[in-house]
Amino acid sequence: MQKINILGVAITDYSLKESLIKLDSFIGGGGLNTILYVTTPMLIMAGENEEEKNEIEAMDMTLCGDADILKVAEIKSVSRLYEVENQVFLKEFLRRLVLGGGKVYLLAESEEEVDSLQGELENIQKDIQIVGKSVIPDGGEGLEEIINRINDIAPIAVISRFPSGGQEKWMIEAKPFVNAEVWLGISKDMVLNGTKEPFRKKVSDKIYKKIFRRRINRFRDENERGE
């Protein structure tokens, strides 16, 4: 476990073993625990948005969604880079849900997105028990009704995928009311393993990497001048 600060955002990087130990404590531990994949575009946004920063830091566990975060934090462990690049936690999380017979509820911003998320998760782990899915439109309308649907089913896990900002806000707002044990927020910036990465995504990733590096350098320079 390493506490790191990227662009003023404090997150903790857990090894695979540490994250699975925390996951085991979440399941059956009572109450809903939030797990959020964090990516470089999210950190760029959070570095300039105090509300977004606070929401990320409020999560019960954060996961690095891309290896650039580790590289910037100077975490050079080859095994850790492998775990992040191959989304090993996600695969193990889904595998454990299947072995334990855990029900899963999906959330996304459109019917197309939620169907796509279901297909991608089933591609990673067959026999995953998806018992419900809902759409939360831009703006979060109907969140209370969706919470009621989730609670009627009482799944072990809620898995969502939304753009940065809205997802973290909904996770925090809904947390006290959702009858589940784990809510995993997958960043929309991530391409799940086994899914072909769109060309446009490859281009945007290169742009974000350049922006991320520039922001990191500027952040370090400003902090060094302030010392």
Side-chain angles (χ1 to χ4, degrees):
M1 178 179 76
Q2 296 192 54
K3 293 188 178 298
I4 57 180
N5 188 299
I6 308 291
L7 298 176
V9 185
I11 59 177
T12 303
D13 178 60
Y14 296 94
S15 69
L16 176 64
K17 182 178 178 180
E18 290 167 336
S19 62
L20 292 176
I21 289 171
K22 284 188 72 70
L23 176 63
D24 289 341
S25 72
F26 292 164
I27 295 177
L32 176 66
N33 293 276
T34 52
I35 304 174
L36 180 69
Y37 269 107
V38 179
T39 60
T40 50
M42 291 171 65
L43 290 172
I44 291 169
M45 179 189 295
E48 299 182 343
N49 185 312
E50 188 71 17
E51 183 179 1
E52 171 73 0
K53 169 185 176 296
N54 293 336
E55 288 168 353
I56 291 174
E57 294 180 344
M59 296 292 143
D60 294 305
M61 182 163 70
T62 50
L63 302 168
C64 289
D66 60 62
D68 267 4
I69 296 172
L70 298 182
K71 293 171 184 175
V72 164
E74 299 183 345
I75 297 173
K76 299 176 182 178
S77 165
V78 174
S79 62
R80 188 73 196 101
L81 288 167
Y82 176 87
E83 289 166 3
V84 171
E85 289 173 345
N86 291 276
Q87 300 169 2
V88 182
F89 174 85
L90 177 60
K91 293 173 183 176
E92 183 61 24
F93 175 48
L94 298 178
R95 188 183 75 87
R96 291 184 179 206
L97 286 172
V98 170
L99 289 176
K103 299 176 182 177
V104 181
Y105 200 100
L106 303 183
L107 296 173
E109 61 183 330
S110 69
E111 293 289 348
E112 182 181 1
E113 288 286 340
V114 79
D115 289 343
S116 176
L117 177 59
Q118 178 174 350
E120 290 170 50
L121 294 176
E122 289 174 340
N123 188 51
I124 295 171
Q125 178 62 63
K126 65 177 182 178
D127 300 326
I128 184 171
Q129 193 179 168
I130 296 171
V131 294
K133 49 188 180 179
S134 291
V135 170
I136 303 179
D138 186 30
E141 294 88 353
L143 189 57
E144 183 177 345
E145 180 185 342
I146 291 168
I147 290 172
N148 290 335
R149 285 187 219 156
I150 295 171
N151 291 346
D152 286 342
I153 295 172
I156 291 293
V158 175
I159 300 178
S160 62
R161 182 166 64 187
F162 291 97
S164 303
Q167 175 156 254
E168 297 87 294
K169 181 180 175 67
W170 298 328
M171 291 172 77
I172 290 170
E173 288 182 356
K175 181 178 177 179
F177 310 108
V178 171
N179 184 14
E181 297 179 11
V182 176
W183 184 333
L184 174 64
I186 297 175
S187 171
K188 198 170 178 185
D189 304 310
M190 292 172 59
V191 173
L192 300 189
N193 279 10
T195 304
K196 186 176 180 181
E197 186 174 21
F199 176 74
R200 189 166 65 177
K201 174 73 168 53
K202 293 180 181 179
V203 173
S204 66
D205 279 352
K206 289 182 180 179
I207 294 170
Y208 272 119
K209 283 182 180 181
K210 289 181 181 178
I211 295 171
F212 188 55
R213 293 286 174 175
R214 284 202 299 267
R215 296 283 173 86
I216 288 291
N217 292 335
R218 187 177 71 188
F219 182 81
R220 287 174 175 168
D221 289 345
E222 288 173 351
N223 278 270
E224 286 172 3
R225 288 198 297 269
E227 290 177 356

